[in-house]
Amino acid sequence: MDEIIRELQTLNIGKVKENELLANHTTMKIGGPADLFIEPSSVENLKKVMSVINKHGLNWRAIGRGSNLLVSDKGIEGVVIKLSSGLDHLEMDGTTITVGGGHSLVSLATLISKKGLAGLEFASGIPGSVGGAVYMNAGAHGSDISKILTRAHVLFENGSMEWLSNEEMKFSYRTSVLQNKRPGIVVEAVFDLAAGDRVAIVAQMQKNKDYRKETQPWNFPCAGSIFRNPLPNYAGKLIETAGLKGFSMGGAKISEMHGNFIVNAGNATAADVLALIQHIKDTIFNLYGVKMETEVEIVGRK
């Protein structure tokens, strides 16, 4: 690993750290170390990182702001690439915006609303990055990324870069083609928004934020929704009806505000969260015959 670190430092690609604790980079404040943790300072440097990864045959994964992510207590083998300040550019051309994958989705939604552009109001309380939101087709309040994205610029693991259209992204509920069939990193996204009434848009944004504050436990470290909604049922409602709100294992606890949130109530481990997830799955299946699927990504060493 020393040889690889020296090679990356010679390329001057940005921050390079060994054994960086991922609890410092996830909204749940859980996760062991990454063998190698890299924050590229530009798109070009991200391409250089991928070239080194391919040259040495390293495992890798990308993260943004660390939401929707549960990292193993034993950490992640290989390289973790964090998209942050080097990839958070923003360009506006009328109602079309081009934005870097490392840009905060919440701050983007806030900025765009003040410009009188509609379409991102649903994102006002989603604490992830633009790249992560495109990757998982993030959504809320009856809308999602697929409704506004025209194309995404993706860096694939072979080092090639390609623009994928909305259709080529193959969006479905909290899913895109990048999650399994074509693993890649969303370097930037192009959104097609609509001109609207600035006062009304800002008001809707605030309404969405207030709703999240009133119904979801953002005062505790958490990863967002743990389970996908098993439509026509809703995960939170099933968990609440089963009497599981407030149930805990170790430092992990099912939120008393919303059944589909597991919070880090104090020094929770990934093992605590996984045990609680399994308990929920077993309970809901035994009571209702419904199989619960996780929405949160569970990654790292077993």
Side-chain angles (χ1 to χ4, degrees):
M1 194 61 77
D2 289 346
E3 176 195 343
I4 296 167
I5 292 172
R6 283 195 297 271
E7 185 175 348
L8 289 165
Q9 289 172 338
T10 301
L11 291 170
N12 194 29
I13 50 83
K15 295 177 184 175
V16 180
K17 298 177 182 178
E18 196 172 7
N19 296 318
E20 174 73 3
L21 201 62
L22 291 168
N24 297 328
H25 301 278
T26 63
T27 57
M28 207 164 201
K29 305 300 180 191
I30 289 174
D35 291 347
L36 207 54
F37 183 86
I38 303 172
E39 289 186 70
S41 57
S42 67
V43 174
E44 283 305 311
N45 284 333
L46 173 59
K47 289 170 72 175
K48 290 177 185 177
V49 170
M50 191 60 75
S51 177
V52 172
I53 285 170
N54 283 326
K55 176 182 173 182
H56 294 279
L58 302 172
N59 294 323
W60 68 275
R61 74 156 293 119
I63 66 171
R65 303 179 73 82
S67 62
N68 195 51
L69 202 60
L70 177 63
V71 178
S72 163
D73 298 314
K74 295 182 179 179
I76 295 180
E77 181 183 355
V79 180
V80 170
I81 304 166
K82 182 172 181 176
L83 274 62
S84 55
S85 56
L87 292 97
D88 61 352
H89 55 281
L90 173 63
E91 298 169 21
M92 301 180 64
D93 183 9
T95 57
T96 299
I97 65 170
T98 302
V99 59
H103 203 295
S104 158
L105 188 63
V106 169
S107 64
L108 176 67
T110 302
L111 176 65
I112 292 304
S113 70
K114 291 175 182 176
K115 300 286 186 182
L117 293 177
L120 267 168
E121 295 90 331
F122 74 89
S124 61
I126 299 177
S129 65
V130 167
V134 173
Y135 174 84
M136 69 163 292
N137 190 23
H141 306 291
S143 190
D144 58 33
I145 289 292
S146 73
K147 302 286 198 303
I148 58 171
L149 183 123
T150 55
R151 56 187 186 141
H153 206 188
V154 180
L155 173 64
F156 293 103
E157 52 190 348
N158 65 1
S160 68
M161 289 187 73
E162 188 178 334
W163 283 99
L164 297 187
S165 67
N166 185 301
E167 186 177 336
E168 289 170 323
M169 286 294 294
K170 299 192 184 304
F171 287 122
S172 57
Y173 176 66
R174 303 296 176 264
T175 306
S176 78
V177 72
L178 303 179
Q179 281 162 284
N180 38 51
K181 293 183 179 178
R182 299 191 70 187
I185 300 171
V186 178
V187 173
E188 59 186 341
V190 179
F191 297 132
D192 187 21
L193 304 174
D197 179 78
R198 188 183 66 83
V199 174
I201 294 167
V202 170
Q204 185 61 52
M205 286 274 296
Q206 191 58 51
K207 183 179 177 182
N208 291 348
K209 281 184 181 178
D210 291 344
Y211 176 80
R212 282 194 169 241
K213 285 180 182 177
E214 291 164 8
T215 61
Q216 297 175 5
W218 294 109
N219 52 329
F220 284 95
C222 64
S225 296
I226 293 292
F227 295 99
R228 296 166 180 259
N229 285 323
L231 300 173
N233 297 302
Y234 289 89
K237 187 64 177 174
L238 286 174
I239 293 166
E240 179 180 355
T241 306
L244 290 174
K245 271 187 172 183
F247 187 85
S248 63
M249 286 186 165
K253 180 180 179 181
I254 301 171
S255 169
E256 288 161 347
M257 290 183 74
H258 195 305
N260 200 17
F261 282 67
I262 292 176
V263 301
N264 182 348
N267 299 314
T269 63
D272 293 338
V273 178
L274 289 170
L276 194 47
I277 286 172
Q278 191 58 52
H279 179 72
I280 294 168
K281 285 183 173 182
D282 292 343
T283 302
I284 299 302
F285 185 75
N286 290 337
L287 286 175
Y288 310 116
V290 175
K291 288 186 177 180
M292 302 286 277
E293 292 183 24
T294 50
E295 178 174 311
V296 65
E297 269 203 285
I298 300 165
V299 299
R301 293 183 171 92
K302 302 293 184 187

